[in-house]
């Protein structure tokens, strides 16, 4: 019985973490930003990008974002995505440090794709 309660606690904690993640990324109006012309910036490697990506997204890997940010327009709105959400947070912070005021974390590209595809 004790093990069952521990397992239930772990499952509940994971559920709460997932809900917080959804609220902090996908539920912040990102689909509306995409409809308004936001650029989806996929920060995965080129190899990861070719295995699947959001149509129309731009691929600049996190490893090269510090050099290649000059290719981006600071006046545009960007939504960073990656495979799970960690690299996209890092890319969001780097771009904000470089003077990009309108950058949002989109989390996992596959999750964002589900919310913007009708």
């Amino acid at each position: 019985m004790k093990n069952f309660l521990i397992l239930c606690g772990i499952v509940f904690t994971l559920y709460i973490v997932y809900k917080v993640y959804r609220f902090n990324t996908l539920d912040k109006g990102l689909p509306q930003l995409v409809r308004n012309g936001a650029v989806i910036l996929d920060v995965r490697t080129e190899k990861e990008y070719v295995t699947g990506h959001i149509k129309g997204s731009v691929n600049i890997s996190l490893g090269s974002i510090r050099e290649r940010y000059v290719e981006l327009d600071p006046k545009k709105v960007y939504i960073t995505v990656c495979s799970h959400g960690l690299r996209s947070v890092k890319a969001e912070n780097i771009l904000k440090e470089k003077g990009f005021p309108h950058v949002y974390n989109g989390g996992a590209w596959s999750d964002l794709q589900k919310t913007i595809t009708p």
Side-chain angles (χ1 to χ4, degrees):
M1 182 67 167
K2 182 179 178 180
N3 289 338
F4 177 73
L5 291 175
I6 291 171
L7 179 63
C8 287
I10 291 170
V11 169
F12 180 71
T13 301
L14 290 174
Y15 174 77
I16 296 297
V17 168
Y18 173 73
K19 286 305 228 180
V20 168
Y21 161 77
R22 296 269 309 167
F23 177 76
N24 285 328
T25 58
L26 303 178
D27 295 337
K28 281 192 168 179
L30 297 184
Q32 184 61 42
L33 289 175
V34 172
R35 286 191 291 277
N36 291 343
V39 176
I40 299 171
L41 182 62
D42 194 320
V43 297
R44 297 176 296 151
T45 65
E46 287 182 29
K47 283 185 176 182
E48 290 174 295
Y49 185 78
V50 297
T51 63
H53 58 271
I54 297 173
K55 186 177 180 181
S57 62
V58 174
N59 179 229
I60 299 178
S61 71
L62 178 62
S64 63
I65 196 82
R66 289 189 189 278
E67 295 82 31
R68 294 186 59 197
Y69 77 92
V70 295
E71 300 172 22
L72 304 173
D73 183 354
K75 296 176 187 165
K76 290 187 178 180
V77 175
Y78 291 94
I79 300 172
T80 58
V81 296
C82 62
S83 58
H84 295 97
L86 181 61
R87 288 178 282 180
S88 59
V89 170
K90 290 179 181 178
E92 174 190 16
N93 290 333
I94 290 168
L95 290 175
K96 286 181 177 179
E97 287 172 7
K98 298 292 184 182
F100 288 75
H102 308 291
V103 183
Y104 302 90
N105 176 28
W109 74 272
S110 55
D111 288 343
L112 181 61
Q113 185 176 38
K114 290 175 191 171
T115 65
I116 63 174
T117 305

PDB file of all heavy atoms in Angstrom, residues 27-61:
ATOM      1  N   ASP A  27       0.045  27.728 -23.640  1.00  0.00           N
ATOM      2  CA  ASP A  27      -1.194  28.408 -23.288  1.00  0.00           C
ATOM      3  C   ASP A  27      -1.043  29.917 -23.161  1.00  0.00           C
ATOM      4  O   ASP A  27      -1.928  30.593 -22.675  1.00  0.00           O
ATOM      5  CB  ASP A  27      -1.765  27.825 -21.990  1.00  0.00           C
ATOM      6  CG  ASP A  27      -2.176  26.374 -22.155  1.00  0.00           C
ATOM      7  OD1 ASP A  27      -2.435  25.963 -23.299  1.00  0.00           O
ATOM      8  OD2 ASP A  27      -2.217  25.648 -21.160  1.00  0.00           O
ATOM      9  N   LYS A  28       0.064  30.463 -23.602  1.00  0.00           N
ATOM     10  CA  LYS A  28       0.286  31.908 -23.499  1.00  0.00           C
ATOM     11  C   LYS A  28      -0.075  32.634 -24.798  1.00  0.00           C
ATOM     12  O   LYS A  28       0.459  33.698 -25.064  1.00  0.00           O
ATOM     13  CB  LYS A  28       1.747  32.190 -23.157  1.00  0.00           C
ATOM     14  CG  LYS A  28       2.079  31.994 -21.711  1.00  0.00           C
ATOM     15  CD  LYS A  28       3.420  32.573 -21.418  1.00  0.00           C
ATOM     16  CE  LYS A  28       3.656  32.642 -19.930  1.00  0.00           C
ATOM     17  NZ  LYS A  28       4.952  33.182 -19.613  1.00  0.00           N
ATOM     18  N   GLY A  29      -0.941  32.072 -25.585  1.00  0.00           N
ATOM     19  CA  GLY A  29      -1.349  32.735 -26.812  1.00  0.00           C
ATOM     20  C   GLY A  29      -0.378  32.561 -27.964  1.00  0.00           C
ATOM     21  O   GLY A  29      -0.402  33.346 -28.910  1.00  0.00           O
ATOM     22  N   LEU A  30       0.466  31.557 -27.900  1.00  0.00           N
ATOM     23  CA  LEU A  30       1.438  31.353 -28.973  1.00  0.00           C
ATOM     24  C   LEU A  30       0.777  31.075 -30.322  1.00  0.00           C
ATOM     25  O   LEU A  30       1.247  31.591 -31.338  1.00  0.00           O
ATOM     26  CB  LEU A  30       2.426  30.244 -28.600  1.00  0.00           C
ATOM     27  CG  LEU A  30       3.304  30.521 -27.380  1.00  0.00           C
ATOM     28  CD1 LEU A  30       4.296  29.389 -27.182  1.00  0.00           C
ATOM     29  CD2 LEU A  30       4.020  31.845 -27.499  1.00  0.00           C
ATOM     30  N   PRO A  31      -0.310  30.297 -30.371  1.00  0.00           N
ATOM     31  CA  PRO A  31      -0.959  30.099 -31.673  1.00  0.00           C
ATOM     32  C   PRO A  31      -1.408  31.421 -32.311  1.00  0.00           C
ATOM     33  O   PRO A  31      -1.294  31.609 -33.523  1.00  0.00           O
ATOM     34  CB  PRO A  31      -2.154  29.196 -31.348  1.00  0.00           C
ATOM     35  CG  PRO A  31      -1.705  28.429 -30.147  1.00  0.00           C
ATOM     36  CD  PRO A  31      -0.900  29.428 -29.349  1.00  0.00           C
ATOM     37  N   GLN A  32      -1.876  32.357 -31.485  1.00  0.00           N
ATOM     38  CA  GLN A  32      -2.278  33.662 -32.016  1.00  0.00           C
ATOM     39  C   GLN A  32      -1.060  34.421 -32.528  1.00  0.00           C
ATOM     40  O   GLN A  32      -1.130  35.090 -33.559  1.00  0.00           O
ATOM     41  CB  GLN A  32      -3.003  34.478 -30.940  1.00  0.00           C
ATOM     42  CG  GLN A  32      -3.535  35.804 -31.439  1.00  0.00           C
ATOM     43  CD  GLN A  32      -4.560  35.645 -32.561  1.00  0.00           C
ATOM     44  OE1 GLN A  32      -5.421  34.767 -32.507  1.00  0.00           O
ATOM     45  NE2 GLN A  32      -4.473  36.475 -33.584  1.00  0.00           N
ATOM     46  N   LEU A  33       0.053  34.336 -31.824  1.00  0.00           N
ATOM     47  CA  LEU A  33       1.280  34.990 -32.299  1.00  0.00           C
ATOM     48  C   LEU A  33       1.705  34.424 -33.651  1.00  0.00           C
ATOM     49  O   LEU A  33       2.126  35.173 -34.535  1.00  0.00           O
ATOM     50  CB  LEU A  33       2.418  34.814 -31.278  1.00  0.00           C
ATOM     51  CG  LEU A  33       2.301  35.583 -29.971  1.00  0.00           C
ATOM     52  CD1 LEU A  33       3.431  35.198 -29.025  1.00  0.00           C
ATOM     53  CD2 LEU A  33       2.306  37.082 -30.222  1.00  0.00           C
ATOM     54  N   VAL A  34       1.577  33.118 -33.821  1.00  0.00           N
ATOM     55  CA  VAL A  34       1.924  32.486 -35.101  1.00  0.00           C
ATOM     56  C   VAL A  34       0.993  32.999 -36.198  1.00  0.00           C
ATOM     57  O   VAL A  34       1.437  33.353 -37.288  1.00  0.00           O
ATOM     58  CB  VAL A  34       1.876  30.944 -34.994  1.00  0.00           C
ATOM     59  CG1 VAL A  34       2.031  30.296 -36.367  1.00  0.00           C
ATOM     60  CG2 VAL A  34       2.959  30.440 -34.047  1.00  0.00           C
ATOM     61  N   ARG A  35      -0.298  33.079 -35.897  1.00  0.00           N
ATOM     62  CA  ARG A  35      -1.257  33.599 -36.894  1.00  0.00           C
ATOM     63  C   ARG A  35      -0.952  35.050 -37.251  1.00  0.00           C
ATOM     64  O   ARG A  35      -1.218  35.494 -38.360  1.00  0.00           O
ATOM     65  CB  ARG A  35      -2.683  33.461 -36.367  1.00  0.00           C
ATOM     66  CG  ARG A  35      -3.212  32.045 -36.391  1.00  0.00           C
ATOM     67  CD  ARG A  35      -4.706  31.976 -36.110  1.00  0.00           C
ATOM     68  NE  ARG A  35      -5.047  32.310 -34.730  1.00  0.00           N
ATOM     69  CZ  ARG A  35      -4.997  31.457 -33.708  1.00  0.00           C
ATOM     70  NH1 ARG A  35      -4.629  30.212 -33.906  1.00  0.00           N
ATOM     71  NH2 ARG A  35      -5.336  31.843 -32.494  1.00  0.00           N
ATOM     72  N   ASN A  36      -0.358  35.777 -36.302  1.00  0.00           N
ATOM     73  CA  ASN A  36      -0.014  37.182 -36.545  1.00  0.00           C
ATOM     74  C   ASN A  36       1.353  37.352 -37.201  1.00  0.00           C
ATOM     75  O   ASN A  36       1.823  38.473 -37.340  1.00  0.00           O
ATOM     76  CB  ASN A  36      -0.060  37.974 -35.237  1.00  0.00           C
ATOM     77  CG  ASN A  36      -1.468  38.123 -34.706  1.00  0.00           C
ATOM     78  OD1 ASN A  36      -2.443  37.927 -35.426  1.00  0.00           O
ATOM     79  ND2 ASN A  36      -1.586  38.444 -33.438  1.00  0.00           N
ATOM     80  N   GLY A  37       2.010  36.235 -37.550  1.00  0.00           N
ATOM     81  CA  GLY A  37       3.270  36.324 -38.287  1.00  0.00           C
ATOM     82  C   GLY A  37       4.534  36.087 -37.496  1.00  0.00           C
ATOM     83  O   GLY A  37       5.632  36.347 -38.000  1.00  0.00           O
ATOM     84  N   ALA A  38       4.434  35.581 -36.277  1.00  0.00           N
ATOM     85  CA  ALA A  38       5.646  35.284 -35.503  1.00  0.00           C
ATOM     86  C   ALA A  38       6.479  34.233 -36.230  1.00  0.00           C
ATOM     87  O   ALA A  38       5.949  33.339 -36.886  1.00  0.00           O
ATOM     88  CB  ALA A  38       5.280  34.774 -34.110  1.00  0.00           C
ATOM     89  N   VAL A  39       7.777  34.353 -36.103  1.00  0.00           N
ATOM     90  CA  VAL A  39       8.707  33.406 -36.714  1.00  0.00           C
ATOM     91  C   VAL A  39       8.994  32.301 -35.709  1.00  0.00           C
ATOM     92  O   VAL A  39       9.350  32.579 -34.563  1.00  0.00           O
ATOM     93  CB  VAL A  39      10.029  34.108 -37.109  1.00  0.00           C
ATOM     94  CG1 VAL A  39      11.029  33.113 -37.661  1.00  0.00           C
ATOM     95  CG2 VAL A  39       9.758  35.236 -38.083  1.00  0.00           C
ATOM     96  N   ILE A  40       8.839  31.063 -36.142  1.00  0.00           N
ATOM     97  CA  ILE A  40       9.165  29.931 -35.288  1.00  0.00           C
ATOM     98  C   ILE A  40      10.633  29.602 -35.514  1.00  0.00           C
ATOM     99  O   ILE A  40      11.047  29.298 -36.627  1.00  0.00           O
ATOM    100  CB  ILE A  40       8.272  28.718 -35.583  1.00  0.00           C
ATOM    101  CG1 ILE A  40       6.819  29.083 -35.315  1.00  0.00           C
ATOM    102  CG2 ILE A  40       8.707  27.521 -34.744  1.00  0.00           C
ATOM    103  CD1 ILE A  40       5.816  28.062 -35.773  1.00  0.00           C
ATOM    104  N   LEU A  41      11.416  29.704 -34.456  1.00  0.00           N
ATOM    105  CA  LEU A  41      12.856  29.481 -34.522  1.00  0.00           C
ATOM    106  C   LEU A  41      13.180  28.143 -33.864  1.00  0.00           C
ATOM    107  O   LEU A  41      13.101  28.004 -32.642  1.00  0.00           O
ATOM    108  CB  LEU A  41      13.597  30.618 -33.817  1.00  0.00           C
ATOM    109  CG  LEU A  41      15.109  30.565 -33.834  1.00  0.00           C
ATOM    110  CD1 LEU A  41      15.646  30.631 -35.266  1.00  0.00           C
ATOM    111  CD2 LEU A  41      15.680  31.706 -33.009  1.00  0.00           C
ATOM    112  N   ASP A  42      13.501  27.165 -34.678  1.00  0.00           N
ATOM    113  CA  ASP A  42      13.825  25.818 -34.204  1.00  0.00           C
ATOM    114  C   ASP A  42      15.316  25.766 -33.895  1.00  0.00           C
ATOM    115  O   ASP A  42      16.139  25.934 -34.789  1.00  0.00           O
ATOM    116  CB  ASP A  42      13.460  24.800 -35.283  1.00  0.00           C
ATOM    117  CG  ASP A  42      13.441  23.373 -34.781  1.00  0.00           C
ATOM    118  OD1 ASP A  42      14.335  23.008 -33.986  1.00  0.00           O
ATOM    119  OD2 ASP A  42      12.543  22.619 -35.195  1.00  0.00           O
ATOM    120  N   VAL A  43      15.660  25.544 -32.641  1.00  0.00           N
ATOM    121  CA  VAL A  43      17.063  25.612 -32.230  1.00  0.00           C
ATOM    122  C   VAL A  43      17.708  24.227 -32.080  1.00  0.00           C
ATOM    123  O   VAL A  43      18.757  24.093 -31.471  1.00  0.00           O
ATOM    124  CB  VAL A  43      17.235  26.448 -30.939  1.00  0.00           C
ATOM    125  CG1 VAL A  43      16.815  27.881 -31.175  1.00  0.00           C
ATOM    126  CG2 VAL A  43      16.482  25.846 -29.766  1.00  0.00           C
ATOM    127  N   ARG A  44      17.092  23.221 -32.671  1.00  0.00           N
ATOM    128  CA  ARG A  44      17.703  21.886 -32.678  1.00  0.00           C
ATOM    129  C   ARG A  44      18.804  21.841 -33.737  1.00  0.00           C
ATOM    130  O   ARG A  44      18.943  22.746 -34.554  1.00  0.00           O
ATOM    131  CB  ARG A  44      16.643  20.824 -32.995  1.00  0.00           C
ATOM    132  CG  ARG A  44      15.545  20.738 -31.952  1.00  0.00           C
ATOM    133  CD  ARG A  44      14.474  19.743 -32.346  1.00  0.00           C
ATOM    134  NE  ARG A  44      13.818  20.203 -33.568  1.00  0.00           N
ATOM    135  CZ  ARG A  44      13.267  19.393 -34.466  1.00  0.00           C
ATOM    136  NH1 ARG A  44      13.297  18.085 -34.310  1.00  0.00           N
ATOM    137  NH2 ARG A  44      12.678  19.889 -35.528  1.00  0.00           N
ATOM    138  N   THR A  45      19.569  20.778 -33.745  1.00  0.00           N
ATOM    139  CA  THR A  45      20.615  20.612 -34.753  1.00  0.00           C
ATOM    140  C   THR A  45      19.973  20.388 -36.120  1.00  0.00           C
ATOM    141  O   THR A  45      18.791  20.042 -36.211  1.00  0.00           O
ATOM    142  CB  THR A  45      21.522  19.414 -34.428  1.00  0.00           C
ATOM    143  OG1 THR A  45      20.739  18.214 -34.496  1.00  0.00           O
ATOM    144  CG2 THR A  45      22.165  19.564 -33.059  1.00  0.00           C
ATOM    145  N   GLU A  46      20.767  20.557 -37.172  1.00  0.00           N
ATOM    146  CA  GLU A  46      20.255  20.335 -38.525  1.00  0.00           C
ATOM    147  C   GLU A  46      19.761  18.905 -38.705  1.00  0.00           C
ATOM    148  O   GLU A  46      18.742  18.673 -39.368  1.00  0.00           O
ATOM    149  CB  GLU A  46      21.328  20.657 -39.556  1.00  0.00           C
ATOM    150  CG  GLU A  46      21.600  22.137 -39.715  1.00  0.00           C
ATOM    151  CD  GLU A  46      22.653  22.424 -40.785  1.00  0.00           C
ATOM    152  OE1 GLU A  46      22.774  21.644 -41.747  1.00  0.00           O
ATOM    153  OE2 GLU A  46      23.344  23.438 -40.631  1.00  0.00           O
ATOM    154  N   LYS A  47      20.480  17.946 -38.133  1.00  0.00           N
ATOM    155  CA  LYS A  47      20.067  16.538 -38.235  1.00  0.00           C
ATOM    156  C   LYS A  47      18.702  16.323 -37.603  1.00  0.00           C
ATOM    157  O   LYS A  47      17.859  15.618 -38.141  1.00  0.00           O
ATOM    158  CB  LYS A  47      21.093  15.625 -37.575  1.00  0.00           C
ATOM    159  CG  LYS A  47      22.323  15.382 -38.387  1.00  0.00           C
ATOM    160  CD  LYS A  47      23.217  14.368 -37.686  1.00  0.00           C
ATOM    161  CE  LYS A  47      24.418  14.042 -38.553  1.00  0.00           C
ATOM    162  NZ  LYS A  47      25.285  13.027 -37.930  1.00  0.00           N
ATOM    163  N   GLU A  48      18.489  16.920 -36.434  1.00  0.00           N
ATOM    164  CA  GLU A  48      17.189  16.797 -35.772  1.00  0.00           C
ATOM    165  C   GLU A  48      16.105  17.487 -36.591  1.00  0.00           C
ATOM    166  O   GLU A  48      14.985  16.974 -36.724  1.00  0.00           O
ATOM    167  CB  GLU A  48      17.239  17.426 -34.376  1.00  0.00           C
ATOM    168  CG  GLU A  48      18.061  16.669 -33.364  1.00  0.00           C
ATOM    169  CD  GLU A  48      18.175  17.428 -32.059  1.00  0.00           C
ATOM    170  OE1 GLU A  48      18.783  18.520 -32.059  1.00  0.00           O
ATOM    171  OE2 GLU A  48      17.645  16.930 -31.048  1.00  0.00           O
ATOM    172  N   TYR A  49      16.423  18.637 -37.141  1.00  0.00           N
ATOM    173  CA  TYR A  49      15.461  19.433 -37.900  1.00  0.00           C
ATOM    174  C   TYR A  49      14.941  18.671 -39.116  1.00  0.00           C
ATOM    175  O   TYR A  49      13.749  18.701 -39.397  1.00  0.00           O
ATOM    176  CB  TYR A  49      16.114  20.754 -38.314  1.00  0.00           C
ATOM    177  CG  TYR A  49      15.192  21.729 -39.003  1.00  0.00           C
ATOM    178  CD1 TYR A  49      14.288  22.494 -38.281  1.00  0.00           C
ATOM    179  CD2 TYR A  49      15.246  21.899 -40.387  1.00  0.00           C
ATOM    180  CE1 TYR A  49      13.459  23.404 -38.907  1.00  0.00           C
ATOM    181  CE2 TYR A  49      14.423  22.809 -41.020  1.00  0.00           C
ATOM    182  CZ  TYR A  49      13.526  23.561 -40.282  1.00  0.00           C
ATOM    183  OH  TYR A  49      12.696  24.461 -40.916  1.00  0.00           O
ATOM    184  N   VAL A  50      15.838  17.990 -39.832  1.00  0.00           N
ATOM    185  CA  VAL A  50      15.402  17.285 -41.045  1.00  0.00           C
ATOM    186  C   VAL A  50      14.539  16.072 -40.740  1.00  0.00           C
ATOM    187  O   VAL A  50      13.802  15.612 -41.610  1.00  0.00           O
ATOM    188  CB  VAL A  50      16.589  16.887 -41.960  1.00  0.00           C
ATOM    189  CG1 VAL A  50      17.323  18.099 -42.463  1.00  0.00           C
ATOM    190  CG2 VAL A  50      17.525  15.926 -41.276  1.00  0.00           C
ATOM    191  N   THR A  51      14.578  15.579 -39.502  1.00  0.00           N
ATOM    192  CA  THR A  51      13.730  14.434 -39.160  1.00  0.00           C
ATOM    193  C   THR A  51      12.278  14.843 -38.944  1.00  0.00           C
ATOM    194  O   THR A  51      11.391  14.002 -38.907  1.00  0.00           O
ATOM    195  CB  THR A  51      14.233  13.711 -37.894  1.00  0.00           C
ATOM    196  OG1 THR A  51      14.157  14.599 -36.790  1.00  0.00           O
ATOM    197  CG2 THR A  51      15.646  13.195 -38.084  1.00  0.00           C
ATOM    198  N   GLY A  52      12.030  16.145 -38.817  1.00  0.00           N
ATOM    199  CA  GLY A  52      10.684  16.663 -38.645  1.00  0.00           C
ATOM    200  C   GLY A  52      10.732  18.053 -38.052  1.00  0.00           C
ATOM    201  O   GLY A  52      11.587  18.327 -37.204  1.00  0.00           O
ATOM    202  N   HIS A  53       9.860  18.933 -38.543  1.00  0.00           N
ATOM    203  CA  HIS A  53       9.824  20.313 -38.050  1.00  0.00           C
ATOM    204  C   HIS A  53       8.506  20.962 -38.448  1.00  0.00           C
ATOM    205  O   HIS A  53       7.753  20.407 -39.238  1.00  0.00           O
ATOM    206  CB  HIS A  53      11.002  21.120 -38.611  1.00  0.00           C
ATOM    207  CG  HIS A  53      11.059  21.154 -40.096  1.00  0.00           C
ATOM    208  ND1 HIS A  53      11.731  20.204 -40.815  1.00  0.00           N
ATOM    209  CD2 HIS A  53      10.511  21.993 -41.002  1.00  0.00           C
ATOM    210  CE1 HIS A  53      11.613  20.458 -42.106  1.00  0.00           C
ATOM    211  NE2 HIS A  53      10.866  21.540 -42.245  1.00  0.00           N
ATOM    212  N   ILE A  54       8.261  22.134 -37.897  1.00  0.00           N
ATOM    213  CA  ILE A  54       7.066  22.900 -38.240  1.00  0.00           C
ATOM    214  C   ILE A  54       7.324  23.582 -39.583  1.00  0.00           C
ATOM    215  O   ILE A  54       8.359  24.245 -39.761  1.00  0.00           O
ATOM    216  CB  ILE A  54       6.742  23.935 -37.150  1.00  0.00           C
ATOM    217  CG1 ILE A  54       6.420  23.224 -35.834  1.00  0.00           C
ATOM    218  CG2 ILE A  54       5.578  24.834 -37.589  1.00  0.00           C
ATOM    219  CD1 ILE A  54       6.242  24.158 -34.647  1.00  0.00           C
ATOM    220  N   LYS A  55       6.396  23.416 -40.488  1.00  0.00           N
ATOM    221  CA  LYS A  55       6.534  24.013 -41.816  1.00  0.00           C
ATOM    222  C   LYS A  55       6.709  25.531 -41.701  1.00  0.00           C
ATOM    223  O   LYS A  55       5.974  26.195 -40.982  1.00  0.00           O
ATOM    224  CB  LYS A  55       5.295  23.705 -42.651  1.00  0.00           C
ATOM    225  CG  LYS A  55       5.396  24.158 -44.080  1.00  0.00           C
ATOM    226  CD  LYS A  55       4.160  23.768 -44.869  1.00  0.00           C
ATOM    227  CE  LYS A  55       4.301  24.246 -46.290  1.00  0.00           C
ATOM    228  NZ  LYS A  55       3.121  23.908 -47.081  1.00  0.00           N
ATOM    229  N   GLY A  56       7.735  26.039 -42.384  1.00  0.00           N
ATOM    230  CA  GLY A  56       8.007  27.470 -42.371  1.00  0.00           C
ATOM    231  C   GLY A  56       8.913  27.934 -41.247  1.00  0.00           C
ATOM    232  O   GLY A  56       9.260  29.109 -41.180  1.00  0.00           O
ATOM    233  N   SER A  57       9.295  27.015 -40.362  1.00  0.00           N
ATOM    234  CA  SER A  57      10.173  27.413 -39.256  1.00  0.00           C
ATOM    235  C   SER A  57      11.599  27.636 -39.756  1.00  0.00           C
ATOM    236  O   SER A  57      11.996  27.141 -40.801  1.00  0.00           O
ATOM    237  CB  SER A  57      10.162  26.355 -38.148  1.00  0.00           C
ATOM    238  OG  SER A  57      10.657  25.119 -38.624  1.00  0.00           O
ATOM    239  N   VAL A  58      12.340  28.408 -38.990  1.00  0.00           N
ATOM    240  CA  VAL A  58      13.736  28.721 -39.296  1.00  0.00           C
ATOM    241  C   VAL A  58      14.603  27.888 -38.360  1.00  0.00           C
ATOM    242  O   VAL A  58      14.316  27.802 -37.169  1.00  0.00           O
ATOM    243  CB  VAL A  58      14.017  30.229 -39.080  1.00  0.00           C
ATOM    244  CG1 VAL A  58      15.490  30.540 -39.258  1.00  0.00           C
ATOM    245  CG2 VAL A  58      13.153  31.065 -40.004  1.00  0.00           C
ATOM    246  N   ASN A  59      15.652  27.277 -38.898  1.00  0.00           N
ATOM    247  CA  ASN A  59      16.523  26.433 -38.085  1.00  0.00           C
ATOM    248  C   ASN A  59      17.875  27.098 -37.870  1.00  0.00           C
ATOM    249  O   ASN A  59      18.646  27.295 -38.791  1.00  0.00           O
ATOM    250  CB  ASN A  59      16.709  25.072 -38.760  1.00  0.00           C
ATOM    251  CG  ASN A  59      17.623  24.143 -38.003  1.00  0.00           C
ATOM    252  OD1 ASN A  59      18.531  23.563 -38.563  1.00  0.00           O
ATOM    253  ND2 ASN A  59      17.377  23.974 -36.725  1.00  0.00           N
ATOM    254  N   ILE A  60      18.122  27.493 -36.618  1.00  0.00           N
ATOM    255  CA  ILE A  60      19.442  27.950 -36.181  1.00  0.00           C
ATOM    256  C   ILE A  60      19.698  27.215 -34.874  1.00  0.00           C
ATOM    257  O   ILE A  60      18.999  27.432 -33.887  1.00  0.00           O
ATOM    258  CB  ILE A  60      19.501  29.476 -35.961  1.00  0.00           C
ATOM    259  CG1 ILE A  60      19.206  30.227 -37.262  1.00  0.00           C
ATOM    260  CG2 ILE A  60      20.855  29.873 -35.399  1.00  0.00           C
ATOM    261  CD1 ILE A  60      19.201  31.741 -37.126  1.00  0.00           C
ATOM    262  N   SER A  61      20.680  26.324 -34.868  1.00  0.00           N
ATOM    263  CA  SER A  61      20.918  25.503 -33.685  1.00  0.00           C
ATOM    264  C   SER A  61      21.364  26.356 -32.499  1.00  0.00           C
ATOM    265  O   SER A  61      21.960  27.427 -32.671  1.00  0.00           O
ATOM    266  CB  SER A  61      21.967  24.430 -33.973  1.00  0.00           C
ATOM    267  OG  SER A  61      23.240  25.015 -34.095  1.00  0.00           O
TER     268      SER A  61
END
